Amino acid sequence: MSGKKRIIFHVDMDHFYTAIEEKLNPELKGKPVVVGADPKAGQGRGVVSTCNYEARKFGIRSGMPIARAWRLCPECTYLPVNMQLYVRVSSRVMAILREYAEKFEQWGIDEAFLDVTARVKSYDEAEALAKEIKNQILAREGLTCSIGVSHNKLLAKIATEVQKPDGLTIVREGETREFLSSLPVRRLLWVGKKTGAKLESMGIKTVGELSAYDPSVLTEVFGVMGSQLYLMAHGMDNSEVQERSEIKSIGRDTTFEEDTSDFDLVLGTLDLLAKDVIEEVVENKYLFKTVTIRVRYENFETHTHSKTLPFLTDRLADMTKTARQLIRPYLVPDRKIRLIGVRASSLLPSSNQKKLI
Ligand code: TTP
Ligand code: MG
C-alpha cells in the first residue's frame, strides 16, 4: 500500500427494507412500520428484519423476536419480507454509488465503501461529493442514506453510525483521536458482546481507554485479536476498498452413479450436499435465508422447490431440515432419481449481521 492519504466513504441506507416499503406505499410514512415474520397477534415465530425510526421509538430492533415487537407496539404496521424487491433496489442503489468511486466495495445488502481519493483534493470537496451522492440517491430512488467520510474504512464505517438517518459525518485525519476517544468500545467493528463485556470487566469502557491500555496485556488476554483491538482503538486500518465478486448463491449437486429409488440413499446424499454447502457458507462468512432443492428424474424431468426461512442462519440443522422437507414430495415410489442438488441463497455477509434466533 502506498503512503498516499486516502479519502474513503462508507454509505449505509437508512432503515432499508422499511424505507422501500414506505416508498411503495406512502401512506405508511410517519407511522411505525416493521418488516419481518408474521406477528400473528403476538403468537408469531421468527424475528424482526428491520423497522423504521418511528418503530424504533417503541424499542423495536432488528433481530428481536417478532412476538416481542408486537407486545411493544401492537399498532405498528407489520409487513412480510419482500426480498426480491429489496435485492432489486439494492442493485440499483449500488449502481449509482459505483459511478462515484474509483474503487468500490459492496458490503451487505445496503452498505458500500467507496475510495474517492482520485476524485477529491480535500475534505471540503469530499463533503460536496457526499452531498451530491445523497441527493442522487434521493432523486433517483426516493431513499435516504447516511455517509461516513474518513481516511480509512474503519473510521468511515464508525462515522456513518454517529449520525443516522440522513447523516453525513466527516472525520479528518487530525480529528481521529478526539472522535474515537469518547465512543463506547462496542462501536469498534468486530467487538461483539463477549469481547465488550470482557473489556468492561477490565475497566475499559471507551475507545480512548482502550487506546491507552498496555498492548501486551491486551495480546495476553485476547491473543491476535488483542493487537487488532489496539490498532483499531488508534483508528488504524490499512485495508483497501476492494471489489468483491458478489456471490449470489452457494450450491452443490450430484448425479447418482445409477438412477435410484432408494430414498434412504437420496436423503443421505442430500445431507452430505447440505454439509458441503454449509461449509462454504461458513467459510465465506455468510448467512442465508433461502434453501432450494433440485430433483431430476431418470427421464430428465427437473423440478426445483424453495423455501425462505423467517431468519438468517448458517446452521447445518436449518439447511438439512428444510432441504429434507422440500424434497419429500418428490420421493415417489417407482420414479427413479438421476440427480439432486441443494442451494443456499438470499446471502448476506455475517460480519455486519446479527445471527438471528
Ligand atoms: P442495516 O443497515 O443494519 O439496518 P437498516 O438499514 O434497516 O437500518 P439503519 O438505518 O440503522 O441502517 O441492515 C440493512 C437491512 O438488512 C435491513 O433493512 C434489514 C436487513 N437485516 C436483517 O434482515 N436482519 C438483521 O439482523 C439486520 C441487522 C438487518
Ligand atoms: Mg442500513
Side-chain angles (χ1 to χ4, degrees):
M1 161 70 254
S2 71
K4 189 175 179 324
K5 299 248 182 298
R6 299 180 294 162
I7 297 188
I8 310 290
F9 287 6
H10 174 257
V11 183
D12 185 346
M13 302 302 293
D14 300 322
H15 66 102
F16 191 48
Y17 296 0
T18 41
I20 295 171
E21 297 289 353
E22 284 176 18
K23 215 200 122 208
L24 215 64
N25 184 358
E27 274 171 32
L28 295 173
K29 276 217 164 72
K31 296 179 191 154
V33 181
V34 177
V35 165
D38 184 349
K40 296 196 179 132
Q43 302 303 309
R45 290 166 56 86
V47 296
V48 172
S49 294
T50 196
C51 58
N52 63 5
Y53 283 76
E54 285 81 359
R56 290 181 201 191
K57 288 183 197 149
F58 292 86
I60 301 177
R61 295 286 179 275
S62 289
M64 176 183 281
I66 200 77
R68 199 170 142 217
W70 174 270
R71 286 196 296 276
L72 290 169
C73 180
E75 64 274 24
C76 283
T77 302
Y78 288 85
L79 300 171
V81 180
N82 186 350
M83 202 65 200
Q84 270 176 335
L85 170 66
Y86 312 147
V87 167
R88 272 208 307 277
V89 177
S90 167
S91 329
R92 293 204 303 265
V93 168
M94 293 301 153
I96 296 173
L97 293 176
R98 208 177 276 269
E99 291 169 22
Y100 289 93
E102 249 60 54
K103 289 189 211 159
F104 177 83
E105 180 175 351
Q106 182 170 349
W107 188 263
I109 192 163
D110 80 330
E111 289 176 53
F113 290 100
L114 284 65
D115 187 328
V116 298
T117 313
R119 304 238 168 163
V120 293
K121 289 195 279 302
S122 66
Y123 275 98
D124 288 344
E125 281 187 29
E127 183 173 359
L129 183 66
K131 284 183 177 158
E132 189 187 327
I133 291 175
K134 284 163 71 77
N135 287 339
Q136 277 295 312
I137 294 182
L138 188 61
R140 283 156 72 176
E141 293 299 331
L143 298 170
T144 63
C145 64
S146 300
I147 302 186
V149 180
S150 195
H151 51 97
N152 65 38
K153 285 163 72 177
L154 171 74
L155 289 162
K157 184 156 163 78
I158 297 174
T160 311
E161 288 169 24
V162 169
Q163 213 191 324
K164 237 181 176 305
D166 203 13
L168 171 53
T169 305
I170 300 175
V171 182
R172 293 167 173 82
E173 201 144 11
E175 300 165 345
T176 307
R177 217 185 140 126
E178 202 195 326
F179 169 73
L180 284 176
S181 63
S182 58
L183 287 182
V185 278
R186 284 164 206 263
R187 280 290 181 86
L188 288 182
L189 310 182
W190 309 297
V191 176
K193 269 197 188 137
K194 265 196 194 156
T195 313
K198 179 96 199 159
L199 287 168
E200 277 180 21
S201 76
M202 294 162 69
I204 304 172
K205 288 204 181 68
T206 65
V207 178
E209 286 161 354
L210 180 61
S211 70
Y213 216 80
D214 181 350
S216 61
V217 177
L218 291 175
T219 314
E220 229 168 76
V221 178
F222 295 101
V224 191
M225 209 179 76
S227 49
Q228 277 176 355
L229 279 174
Y230 188 77
L231 289 177
M232 289 196 300
H234 286 86
M236 292 193 317
D237 170 27
N238 283 335
S239 63
E240 297 275 345
V241 174
Q242 255 172 344
E243 190 78 37
R244 293 170 181 267
S245 62
E246 205 199 314
I247 306 176
K248 293 252 158 49
S249 70
I250 293 173
R252 289 279 187 286
D253 51 39
T254 191
T255 306
F256 292 104
E257 272 173 30
E258 274 176 37
D259 299 343
T260 182
S261 51
D262 174 351
F263 298 139
D264 286 338
L265 173 67
V266 173
L267 289 173
T269 307
L270 188 73
D271 289 350
L272 291 176
L273 294 174
K275 190 162 165 283
D276 275 2
V277 170
I278 288 296
E279 271 172 19
E280 195 175 331
V281 166
V282 170
E283 232 163 66
N284 287 284
K285 297 194 174 57
Y286 278 112
L287 297 172
F288 66 91
K289 262 190 154 175
T290 305
V291 178
T292 305
I293 59 100
R294 194 150 72 110
V295 177
R296 178 168 294 150
Y297 292 115
E298 58 186 334
N299 64 352
F300 281 84
E301 187 185 308
T302 306
H303 297 266
T304 60
H305 195 187
S306 299
K307 181 176 176 183
T308 297
L309 300 168
F311 50 86
L312 284 158
T313 176
D314 61 359
R315 284 193 306 212
L316 178 61
D318 295 327
M319 165 65 84
T320 309
K321 194 174 152 215
T322 315
R324 279 178 164 247
Q325 230 174 44
L326 288 169
I327 208 167
R328 191 135 298 140
Y330 299 98
L331 305 182
V332 186
D334 302 331
R335 290 216 68 179
K336 283 193 174 169
I337 292 177
R338 178 184 165 79
L339 166 152
I340 57 168
V342 61
R343 184 165 290 279
S345 58
S346 314
L347 299 171
L348 288 177
S350 59
S351 49
N352 61 342
Q353 297 288 324
K354 290 177 208 86
K355 216 168 274 181
L356 309 182
I357 289 185

PDB file of all heavy atoms in Angstrom, residues 107-136:
ATOM      1  N   TRP A 107     -20.972  -4.044   0.682  1.00  0.00           N
ATOM      2  CA  TRP A 107     -20.807  -4.675   1.983  1.00  0.00           C
ATOM      3  C   TRP A 107     -22.208  -4.947   2.516  1.00  0.00           C
ATOM      4  O   TRP A 107     -22.825  -4.077   3.095  1.00  0.00           O
ATOM      5  CB  TRP A 107     -20.035  -3.703   2.885  1.00  0.00           C
ATOM      6  CG  TRP A 107     -19.612  -4.246   4.184  1.00  0.00           C
ATOM      7  CD1 TRP A 107     -20.250  -4.099   5.385  1.00  0.00           C
ATOM      8  CD2 TRP A 107     -18.441  -5.023   4.443  1.00  0.00           C
ATOM      9  NE1 TRP A 107     -19.553  -4.757   6.346  1.00  0.00           N
ATOM     10  CE2 TRP A 107     -18.447  -5.322   5.816  1.00  0.00           C
ATOM     11  CE3 TRP A 107     -17.393  -5.505   3.635  1.00  0.00           C
ATOM     12  CZ2 TRP A 107     -17.450  -6.086   6.417  1.00  0.00           C
ATOM     13  CZ3 TRP A 107     -16.402  -6.254   4.232  1.00  0.00           C
ATOM     14  CH2 TRP A 107     -16.433  -6.536   5.604  1.00  0.00           C
ATOM     15  N   GLY A 108     -22.701  -6.126   2.266  1.00  0.00           N
ATOM     16  CA  GLY A 108     -24.086  -6.397   2.678  1.00  0.00           C
ATOM     17  C   GLY A 108     -25.064  -5.803   1.689  1.00  0.00           C
ATOM     18  O   GLY A 108     -24.665  -5.242   0.663  1.00  0.00           O
ATOM     19  N   ILE A 109     -26.351  -5.889   2.004  1.00  0.00           N
ATOM     20  CA  ILE A 109     -27.359  -5.510   1.013  1.00  0.00           C
ATOM     21  C   ILE A 109     -27.472  -3.996   0.876  1.00  0.00           C
ATOM     22  O   ILE A 109     -27.804  -3.492  -0.196  1.00  0.00           O
ATOM     23  CB  ILE A 109     -28.731  -6.150   1.347  1.00  0.00           C
ATOM     24  CG1 ILE A 109     -29.697  -6.013   0.198  1.00  0.00           C
ATOM     25  CG2 ILE A 109     -29.323  -5.598   2.643  1.00  0.00           C
ATOM     26  CD1 ILE A 109     -30.884  -6.928   0.276  1.00  0.00           C
ATOM     27  N   ASP A 110     -27.145  -3.244   1.915  1.00  0.00           N
ATOM     28  CA  ASP A 110     -27.413  -1.797   1.837  1.00  0.00           C
ATOM     29  C   ASP A 110     -26.218  -0.932   2.235  1.00  0.00           C
ATOM     30  O   ASP A 110     -26.386   0.218   2.598  1.00  0.00           O
ATOM     31  CB  ASP A 110     -28.646  -1.432   2.679  1.00  0.00           C
ATOM     32  CG  ASP A 110     -28.332  -1.323   4.161  1.00  0.00           C
ATOM     33  OD1 ASP A 110     -27.414  -2.030   4.619  1.00  0.00           O
ATOM     34  OD2 ASP A 110     -28.987  -0.513   4.848  1.00  0.00           O
ATOM     35  N   GLU A 111     -25.017  -1.491   2.174  1.00  0.00           N
ATOM     36  CA  GLU A 111     -23.825  -0.724   2.552  1.00  0.00           C
ATOM     37  C   GLU A 111     -22.745  -0.858   1.491  1.00  0.00           C
ATOM     38  O   GLU A 111     -22.645  -1.886   0.836  1.00  0.00           O
ATOM     39  CB  GLU A 111     -23.215  -1.280   3.844  1.00  0.00           C
ATOM     40  CG  GLU A 111     -23.989  -1.023   5.083  1.00  0.00           C
ATOM     41  CD  GLU A 111     -23.337  -1.702   6.273  1.00  0.00           C
ATOM     42  OE1 GLU A 111     -22.129  -1.480   6.505  1.00  0.00           O
ATOM     43  OE2 GLU A 111     -24.029  -2.471   6.948  1.00  0.00           O
ATOM     44  N   ALA A 112     -21.899   0.169   1.409  1.00  0.00           N
ATOM     45  CA  ALA A 112     -20.762   0.079   0.491  1.00  0.00           C
ATOM     46  C   ALA A 112     -19.645   1.011   0.934  1.00  0.00           C
ATOM     47  O   ALA A 112     -19.900   2.018   1.608  1.00  0.00           O
ATOM     48  CB  ALA A 112     -21.199   0.449  -0.923  1.00  0.00           C
ATOM     49  N   PHE A 113     -18.430   0.635   0.577  1.00  0.00           N
ATOM     50  CA  PHE A 113     -17.268   1.508   0.745  1.00  0.00           C
ATOM     51  C   PHE A 113     -16.877   2.055  -0.624  1.00  0.00           C
ATOM     52  O   PHE A 113     -16.894   1.328  -1.616  1.00  0.00           O
ATOM     53  CB  PHE A 113     -16.079   0.725   1.305  1.00  0.00           C
ATOM     54  CG  PHE A 113     -16.238   0.304   2.731  1.00  0.00           C
ATOM     55  CD1 PHE A 113     -16.616  -0.996   3.039  1.00  0.00           C
ATOM     56  CD2 PHE A 113     -16.012   1.199   3.762  1.00  0.00           C
ATOM     57  CE1 PHE A 113     -16.762  -1.397   4.356  1.00  0.00           C
ATOM     58  CE2 PHE A 113     -16.155   0.804   5.092  1.00  0.00           C
ATOM     59  CZ  PHE A 113     -16.529  -0.498   5.381  1.00  0.00           C
ATOM     60  N   LEU A 114     -16.515   3.357  -0.663  1.00  0.00           N
ATOM     61  CA  LEU A 114     -16.054   3.971  -1.904  1.00  0.00           C
ATOM     62  C   LEU A 114     -14.702   4.615  -1.631  1.00  0.00           C
ATOM     63  O   LEU A 114     -14.575   5.377  -0.656  1.00  0.00           O
ATOM     64  CB  LEU A 114     -17.014   5.080  -2.356  1.00  0.00           C
ATOM     65  CG  LEU A 114     -18.355   4.731  -2.996  1.00  0.00           C
ATOM     66  CD1 LEU A 114     -19.297   4.025  -2.034  1.00  0.00           C
ATOM     67  CD2 LEU A 114     -19.026   6.008  -3.495  1.00  0.00           C
ATOM     68  N   ASP A 115     -13.725   4.321  -2.458  1.00  0.00           N
ATOM     69  CA  ASP A 115     -12.454   5.041  -2.376  1.00  0.00           C
ATOM     70  C   ASP A 115     -12.527   6.165  -3.395  1.00  0.00           C
ATOM     71  O   ASP A 115     -12.575   5.917  -4.606  1.00  0.00           O
ATOM     72  CB  ASP A 115     -11.283   4.095  -2.665  1.00  0.00           C
ATOM     73  CG  ASP A 115      -9.939   4.774  -2.419  1.00  0.00           C
ATOM     74  OD1 ASP A 115      -9.852   6.004  -2.626  1.00  0.00           O
ATOM     75  OD2 ASP A 115      -8.988   4.074  -2.028  1.00  0.00           O
ATOM     76  N   VAL A 116     -12.587   7.414  -2.906  1.00  0.00           N
ATOM     77  CA  VAL A 116     -12.765   8.573  -3.800  1.00  0.00           C
ATOM     78  C   VAL A 116     -11.508   9.435  -3.852  1.00  0.00           C
ATOM     79  O   VAL A 116     -11.552  10.585  -4.295  1.00  0.00           O
ATOM     80  CB  VAL A 116     -13.990   9.424  -3.376  1.00  0.00           C
ATOM     81  CG1 VAL A 116     -15.268   8.614  -3.460  1.00  0.00           C
ATOM     82  CG2 VAL A 116     -13.818   9.987  -1.972  1.00  0.00           C
ATOM     83  N   THR A 117     -10.383   8.857  -3.410  1.00  0.00           N
ATOM     84  CA  THR A 117      -9.112   9.606  -3.339  1.00  0.00           C
ATOM     85  C   THR A 117      -8.792  10.316  -4.656  1.00  0.00           C
ATOM     86  O   THR A 117      -8.358  11.476  -4.653  1.00  0.00           O
ATOM     87  CB  THR A 117      -7.958   8.658  -2.973  1.00  0.00           C
ATOM     88  OG1 THR A 117      -8.363   7.860  -1.876  1.00  0.00           O
ATOM     89  CG2 THR A 117      -6.698   9.417  -2.629  1.00  0.00           C
ATOM     90  N   ALA A 118      -9.054   9.632  -5.768  1.00  0.00           N
ATOM     91  CA  ALA A 118      -8.691  10.203  -7.060  1.00  0.00           C
ATOM     92  C   ALA A 118      -9.655  11.301  -7.501  1.00  0.00           C
ATOM     93  O   ALA A 118      -9.378  12.054  -8.424  1.00  0.00           O
ATOM     94  CB  ALA A 118      -8.647   9.093  -8.107  1.00  0.00           C
ATOM     95  N   ARG A 119     -10.807  11.414  -6.840  1.00  0.00           N
ATOM     96  CA  ARG A 119     -11.827  12.372  -7.281  1.00  0.00           C
ATOM     97  C   ARG A 119     -11.821  13.680  -6.530  1.00  0.00           C
ATOM     98  O   ARG A 119     -12.381  14.665  -7.014  1.00  0.00           O
ATOM     99  CB  ARG A 119     -13.226  11.771  -7.070  1.00  0.00           C
ATOM    100  CG  ARG A 119     -13.426  10.479  -7.744  1.00  0.00           C
ATOM    101  CD  ARG A 119     -14.574  10.578  -8.667  1.00  0.00           C
ATOM    102  NE  ARG A 119     -14.554   9.402  -9.499  1.00  0.00           N
ATOM    103  CZ  ARG A 119     -15.563   8.994 -10.200  1.00  0.00           C
ATOM    104  NH1 ARG A 119     -16.690   9.681 -10.180  1.00  0.00           N
ATOM    105  NH2 ARG A 119     -15.464   7.938 -10.948  1.00  0.00           N
ATOM    106  N   VAL A 120     -11.315  13.653  -5.308  1.00  0.00           N
ATOM    107  CA  VAL A 120     -11.395  14.870  -4.491  1.00  0.00           C
ATOM    108  C   VAL A 120     -10.020  15.254  -3.963  1.00  0.00           C
ATOM    109  O   VAL A 120      -9.195  14.396  -3.674  1.00  0.00           O
ATOM    110  CB  VAL A 120     -12.371  14.679  -3.299  1.00  0.00           C
ATOM    111  CG1 VAL A 120     -13.797  14.536  -3.781  1.00  0.00           C
ATOM    112  CG2 VAL A 120     -11.988  13.494  -2.440  1.00  0.00           C
ATOM    113  N   LYS A 121      -9.804  16.563  -3.841  1.00  0.00           N
ATOM    114  CA  LYS A 121      -8.483  17.023  -3.400  1.00  0.00           C
ATOM    115  C   LYS A 121      -8.466  17.415  -1.931  1.00  0.00           C
ATOM    116  O   LYS A 121      -7.422  17.632  -1.355  1.00  0.00           O
ATOM    117  CB  LYS A 121      -8.037  18.207  -4.273  1.00  0.00           C
ATOM    118  CG  LYS A 121      -7.677  17.772  -5.701  1.00  0.00           C
ATOM    119  CD  LYS A 121      -6.900  18.813  -6.469  1.00  0.00           C
ATOM    120  CE  LYS A 121      -7.759  19.906  -7.082  1.00  0.00           C
ATOM    121  NZ  LYS A 121      -8.809  19.428  -8.012  1.00  0.00           N
ATOM    122  N   SER A 122      -9.671  17.520  -1.338  1.00  0.00           N
ATOM    123  CA  SER A 122      -9.728  17.943   0.072  1.00  0.00           C
ATOM    124  C   SER A 122     -10.991  17.383   0.715  1.00  0.00           C
ATOM    125  O   SER A 122     -11.876  16.875   0.024  1.00  0.00           O
ATOM    126  CB  SER A 122      -9.791  19.466   0.132  1.00  0.00           C
ATOM    127  OG  SER A 122     -11.029  19.880  -0.439  1.00  0.00           O
ATOM    128  N   TYR A 123     -11.050  17.518   2.049  1.00  0.00           N
ATOM    129  CA  TYR A 123     -12.261  17.069   2.744  1.00  0.00           C
ATOM    130  C   TYR A 123     -13.455  17.949   2.386  1.00  0.00           C
ATOM    131  O   TYR A 123     -14.600  17.484   2.420  1.00  0.00           O
ATOM    132  CB  TYR A 123     -12.016  17.015   4.252  1.00  0.00           C
ATOM    133  CG  TYR A 123     -11.386  15.699   4.663  1.00  0.00           C
ATOM    134  CD1 TYR A 123     -10.013  15.585   4.855  1.00  0.00           C
ATOM    135  CD2 TYR A 123     -12.168  14.562   4.830  1.00  0.00           C
ATOM    136  CE1 TYR A 123      -9.440  14.375   5.206  1.00  0.00           C
ATOM    137  CE2 TYR A 123     -11.605  13.345   5.175  1.00  0.00           C
ATOM    138  CZ  TYR A 123     -10.247  13.252   5.368  1.00  0.00           C
ATOM    139  OH  TYR A 123      -9.696  12.055   5.712  1.00  0.00           O
ATOM    140  N   ASP A 124     -13.196  19.231   2.041  1.00  0.00           N
ATOM    141  CA  ASP A 124     -14.321  20.071   1.619  1.00  0.00           C
ATOM    142  C   ASP A 124     -14.930  19.542   0.324  1.00  0.00           C
ATOM    143  O   ASP A 124     -16.152  19.462   0.178  1.00  0.00           O
ATOM    144  CB  ASP A 124     -13.871  21.525   1.429  1.00  0.00           C
ATOM    145  CG  ASP A 124     -13.593  22.199   2.774  1.00  0.00           C
ATOM    146  OD1 ASP A 124     -14.054  21.635   3.806  1.00  0.00           O
ATOM    147  OD2 ASP A 124     -12.901  23.232   2.804  1.00  0.00           O
ATOM    148  N   GLU A 125     -14.052  19.167  -0.595  1.00  0.00           N
ATOM    149  CA  GLU A 125     -14.569  18.583  -1.844  1.00  0.00           C
ATOM    150  C   GLU A 125     -15.266  17.256  -1.560  1.00  0.00           C
ATOM    151  O   GLU A 125     -16.259  16.905  -2.198  1.00  0.00           O
ATOM    152  CB  GLU A 125     -13.414  18.353  -2.833  1.00  0.00           C
ATOM    153  CG  GLU A 125     -12.979  19.630  -3.543  1.00  0.00           C
ATOM    154  CD  GLU A 125     -11.944  19.356  -4.646  1.00  0.00           C
ATOM    155  OE1 GLU A 125     -11.949  18.255  -5.246  1.00  0.00           O
ATOM    156  OE2 GLU A 125     -11.131  20.256  -4.893  1.00  0.00           O
ATOM    157  N   ALA A 126     -14.727  16.507  -0.601  1.00  0.00           N
ATOM    158  CA  ALA A 126     -15.341  15.220  -0.239  1.00  0.00           C
ATOM    159  C   ALA A 126     -16.753  15.445   0.307  1.00  0.00           C
ATOM    160  O   ALA A 126     -17.687  14.711  -0.015  1.00  0.00           O
ATOM    161  CB  ALA A 126     -14.487  14.498   0.799  1.00  0.00           C
ATOM    162  N   GLU A 127     -16.895  16.492   1.104  1.00  0.00           N
ATOM    163  CA  GLU A 127     -18.210  16.799   1.675  1.00  0.00           C
ATOM    164  C   GLU A 127     -19.220  17.114   0.561  1.00  0.00           C
ATOM    165  O   GLU A 127     -20.342  16.622   0.570  1.00  0.00           O
ATOM    166  CB  GLU A 127     -18.084  17.990   2.634  1.00  0.00           C
ATOM    167  CG  GLU A 127     -19.396  18.313   3.305  1.00  0.00           C
ATOM    168  CD  GLU A 127     -19.259  19.387   4.397  1.00  0.00           C
ATOM    169  OE1 GLU A 127     -18.122  19.858   4.643  1.00  0.00           O
ATOM    170  OE2 GLU A 127     -20.295  19.735   4.976  1.00  0.00           O
ATOM    171  N   ALA A 128     -18.756  17.902  -0.410  1.00  0.00           N
ATOM    172  CA  ALA A 128     -19.646  18.253  -1.524  1.00  0.00           C
ATOM    173  C   ALA A 128     -20.030  16.994  -2.307  1.00  0.00           C
ATOM    174  O   ALA A 128     -21.192  16.821  -2.704  1.00  0.00           O
ATOM    175  CB  ALA A 128     -18.953  19.268  -2.433  1.00  0.00           C
ATOM    176  N   LEU A 129     -19.063  16.113  -2.510  1.00  0.00           N
ATOM    177  CA  LEU A 129     -19.336  14.878  -3.255  1.00  0.00           C
ATOM    178  C   LEU A 129     -20.328  13.990  -2.487  1.00  0.00           C
ATOM    179  O   LEU A 129     -21.257  13.417  -3.072  1.00  0.00           O
ATOM    180  CB  LEU A 129     -18.027  14.116  -3.513  1.00  0.00           C
ATOM    181  CG  LEU A 129     -18.171  12.845  -4.353  1.00  0.00           C
ATOM    182  CD1 LEU A 129     -18.612  13.169  -5.782  1.00  0.00           C
ATOM    183  CD2 LEU A 129     -16.861  12.057  -4.390  1.00  0.00           C
ATOM    184  N   ALA A 130     -20.137  13.891  -1.182  1.00  0.00           N
ATOM    185  CA  ALA A 130     -21.042  13.070  -0.363  1.00  0.00           C
ATOM    186  C   ALA A 130     -22.466  13.621  -0.445  1.00  0.00           C
ATOM    187  O   ALA A 130     -23.436  12.861  -0.553  1.00  0.00           O
ATOM    188  CB  ALA A 130     -20.558  13.040   1.083  1.00  0.00           C
ATOM    189  N   LYS A 131     -22.592  14.960  -0.428  1.00  0.00           N
ATOM    190  CA  LYS A 131     -23.928  15.565  -0.521  1.00  0.00           C
ATOM    191  C   LYS A 131     -24.552  15.255  -1.880  1.00  0.00           C
ATOM    192  O   LYS A 131     -25.751  14.992  -1.982  1.00  0.00           O
ATOM    193  CB  LYS A 131     -23.841  17.080  -0.314  1.00  0.00           C
ATOM    194  CG  LYS A 131     -23.653  17.428   1.158  1.00  0.00           C
ATOM    195  CD  LYS A 131     -23.630  18.925   1.377  1.00  0.00           C
ATOM    196  CE  LYS A 131     -23.517  19.229   2.875  1.00  0.00           C
ATOM    197  NZ  LYS A 131     -22.984  20.571   3.121  1.00  0.00           N
ATOM    198  N   GLU A 132     -23.713  15.303  -2.919  1.00  0.00           N
ATOM    199  CA  GLU A 132     -24.229  15.009  -4.264  1.00  0.00           C
ATOM    200  C   GLU A 132     -24.740  13.560  -4.329  1.00  0.00           C
ATOM    201  O   GLU A 132     -25.790  13.284  -4.911  1.00  0.00           O
ATOM    202  CB  GLU A 132     -23.118  15.238  -5.306  1.00  0.00           C
ATOM    203  CG  GLU A 132     -23.646  15.172  -6.721  1.00  0.00           C
ATOM    204  CD  GLU A 132     -22.535  15.235  -7.759  1.00  0.00           C
ATOM    205  OE1 GLU A 132     -21.522  15.925  -7.504  1.00  0.00           O
ATOM    206  OE2 GLU A 132     -22.679  14.574  -8.799  1.00  0.00           O
ATOM    207  N   ILE A 133     -23.986  12.639  -3.734  1.00  0.00           N
ATOM    208  CA  ILE A 133     -24.400  11.231  -3.734  1.00  0.00           C
ATOM    209  C   ILE A 133     -25.739  11.075  -3.009  1.00  0.00           C
ATOM    210  O   ILE A 133     -26.659  10.413  -3.489  1.00  0.00           O
ATOM    211  CB  ILE A 133     -23.310  10.351  -3.076  1.00  0.00           C
ATOM    212  CG1 ILE A 133     -22.071  10.309  -3.972  1.00  0.00           C
ATOM    213  CG2 ILE A 133     -23.826   8.938  -2.794  1.00  0.00           C
ATOM    214  CD1 ILE A 133     -20.883   9.561  -3.372  1.00  0.00           C
ATOM    215  N   LYS A 134     -25.858  11.732  -1.860  1.00  0.00           N
ATOM    216  CA  LYS A 134     -27.116  11.647  -1.110  1.00  0.00           C
ATOM    217  C   LYS A 134     -28.279  12.202  -1.938  1.00  0.00           C
ATOM    218  O   LYS A 134     -29.355  11.610  -1.973  1.00  0.00           O
ATOM    219  CB  LYS A 134     -26.993  12.413   0.217  1.00  0.00           C
ATOM    220  CG  LYS A 134     -26.186  11.649   1.264  1.00  0.00           C
ATOM    221  CD  LYS A 134     -25.722  12.550   2.395  1.00  0.00           C
ATOM    222  CE  LYS A 134     -26.881  12.973   3.268  1.00  0.00           C
ATOM    223  NZ  LYS A 134     -27.325  11.923   4.201  1.00  0.00           N
ATOM    224  N   ASN A 135     -28.025  13.317  -2.612  1.00  0.00           N
ATOM    225  CA  ASN A 135     -29.079  13.916  -3.452  1.00  0.00           C
ATOM    226  C   ASN A 135     -29.472  12.997  -4.598  1.00  0.00           C
ATOM    227  O   ASN A 135     -30.646  12.870  -4.933  1.00  0.00           O
ATOM    228  CB  ASN A 135     -28.614  15.258  -4.037  1.00  0.00           C
ATOM    229  CG  ASN A 135     -28.582  16.337  -2.966  1.00  0.00           C
ATOM    230  OD1 ASN A 135     -29.249  16.193  -1.941  1.00  0.00           O
ATOM    231  ND2 ASN A 135     -27.793  17.385  -3.183  1.00  0.00           N
ATOM    232  N   GLN A 136     -28.471  12.386  -5.224  1.00  0.00           N
ATOM    233  CA  GLN A 136     -28.737  11.491  -6.356  1.00  0.00           C
ATOM    234  C   GLN A 136     -29.587  10.301  -5.936  1.00  0.00           C
ATOM    235  O   GLN A 136     -30.521   9.913  -6.630  1.00  0.00           O
ATOM    236  CB  GLN A 136     -27.414  10.964  -6.934  1.00  0.00           C
ATOM    237  CG  GLN A 136     -26.756  11.920  -7.904  1.00  0.00           C
ATOM    238  CD  GLN A 136     -27.589  12.127  -9.156  1.00  0.00           C
ATOM    239  OE1 GLN A 136     -28.064  11.175  -9.764  1.00  0.00           O
ATOM    240  NE2 GLN A 136     -27.786  13.384  -9.518  1.00  0.00           N
TER     241      GLN A 136
END
